[in-house]
Amino acid sequence: MSAAIPYWREAGSGPAIVCLHSNASVSGQWRTLMTRLADRYWMLAPDLYGSGRSPDWPSDSTITLQDEVDLIEPVLRRAGDPFGLVGHSYGAAVALRTAVQHPTRVRALVIYEPTLFSLIEMEGPAPNDADGIRNAVAAAATALDGGDRFEAARCFIDYWMGPGSWATTAENRKVAIADSVVNVRRWAHALFTEPTPISEFGRLQMPVLYLTGGRSTQSAHGVARRLLKALPNVSCVNLAGLGHMGPITDPDAVNRVIENFLLRSV
């Protein structure tokens, strides 16, 4: 178990729901969901390694999704058993890893486009559905090697949100995003090399809500096609007008669907 202690925020009371944020984000991305559900649920949202007020990854070794699960274990213990779990992007990948490790502790699971690119890689090498994100990571890494973290952030954000998105990002957000994107190689390693075979996800019996954005990327949709075939108790909602960052760009639309699912399942 990790000796590091994550920062987390809490709100409300009732059955516990743990929310995990995406790359280049923090636990605050779930603030509107926490406010929406606090009258019925005990909402807990940690910052993952190197995000927000949690510690950075304290090692020169590569990080794994299991390391992230170990980091948030104090939050999971505080939530008690069982708890609901909500994750977006990288956070959804961590949520799936958590569910595989603790299948009896997770009452229900909500995942918005988990970025488990390893499931694509396991089927065969490039060219494949993960080419776009692989190329974006390579471009961001080249920018970082050249000392330009803002260009690295542009490569990453424009891949996930569409060309020109970085240019329209609020200036007061750019510094925090650029500071976070210095970890892009670490994120990619954890996601591309996660060893859990897809058959393990087929053992998860809790109800799962899988959310996708109709305007999202080929890599995100490629993961979805594979996981939706594997998860035995899954329902899928495609939000046609949204992209990969839907929980951040359009929280009301996403949170409404999450709320309806949790009311039925937790």
Side-chain angles (χ1 to χ4, degrees):
M1 182 180 295
S2 170
I5 303 297
Y7 168 82
W8 70 89
R9 62 186 72 224
E10 298 183 18
S13 61
I17 308 293
V18 178
C19 302
L20 305 178
H21 64 82
S22 65
N23 292 129
S25 187
V26 297
S27 57
Q29 82 164 70
W30 297 114
R31 191 177 289 110
T32 56
L33 179 66
M34 295 175 76
T35 299
R36 184 182 187 113
L37 299 181
D39 62 336
R40 286 158 289 176
Y41 296 101
W42 182 22
M43 308 296 294
L44 304 97
D47 289 332
L48 299 175
Y49 268 120
S51 300
R53 294 166 61 182
S54 281
D56 204 352
W57 174 238
S59 172
D60 292 334
S61 64
T62 54
I63 195 171
T64 67
L65 295 183
Q66 183 61 52
D67 293 318
E68 301 280 14
V69 176
D70 292 344
L71 174 69
I72 65 171
E73 180 57 32
V75 183
L76 304 183
R77 288 200 307 270
R78 181 161 174 77
D81 297 341
F83 52 84
L85 197 53
V86 177
H88 169 217
S89 190
Y90 183 82
V94 177
L96 278 165
R97 179 63 220 160
T98 303
V100 166
Q101 182 173 334
H102 302 295
T104 62
R105 296 176 69 185
V106 179
R107 179 180 292 178
L109 178 62
V110 179
I111 44 178
Y112 191 109
E113 295 192 346
T115 46
L116 273 176
F117 307 123
S118 57
L119 299 181
I120 298 173
E121 299 288 272
M122 286 177 186
E123 288 190 359
N128 57 31
D129 285 337
D131 291 347
I133 183 59
R134 187 185 299 105
N135 294 339
V137 168
T142 297
L144 289 172
D145 290 343
D148 192 344
R149 60 196 176 96
F150 286 91
E151 173 60 15
R154 185 197 65 76
C155 295
F156 188 75
I157 296 300
D158 280 7
Y159 172 73
W160 284 118
M161 300 185 69
S165 296
W166 176 250
T168 61
T169 299
E171 291 299 323
N172 63 354
R173 288 282 298 129
K174 284 186 174 180
V175 172
I177 294 172
D179 287 346
S180 179
V181 169
V182 300
N183 298 313
V184 68
R185 283 191 179 98
R186 188 188 79 195
W187 300 334
H189 180 271
L191 295 168
F192 274 89
T193 65
E194 165 60 33
T196 304
I198 199 163
S199 59
E200 287 299 305
F201 300 110
R203 301 176 187 273
L204 299 179
Q205 296 300 316
M206 75 285 293
V208 179
L209 173 63
Y210 199 121
L211 297 172
T212 62
R215 295 175 48 247
S216 195
T217 64
Q218 182 177 345
S219 63
H221 289 162
V223 174
R225 284 194 296 273
R226 291 158 175 85
L227 274 173
L228 287 170
K229 293 177 182 177
L231 292 164
N233 191 14
V234 64
S235 57
C236 180
V237 174
N238 179 268
L239 297 163
L242 304 191
H244 181 70
M245 302 306 290
I248 295 174
T249 61
D250 297 88
D252 288 343
V254 175
N255 292 345
R256 188 180 309 114
V257 180
I258 293 175
E259 178 183 26
N260 290 337
F261 173 77
L262 292 176
L263 287 173
R264 297 192 306 271
S265 306
V266 178

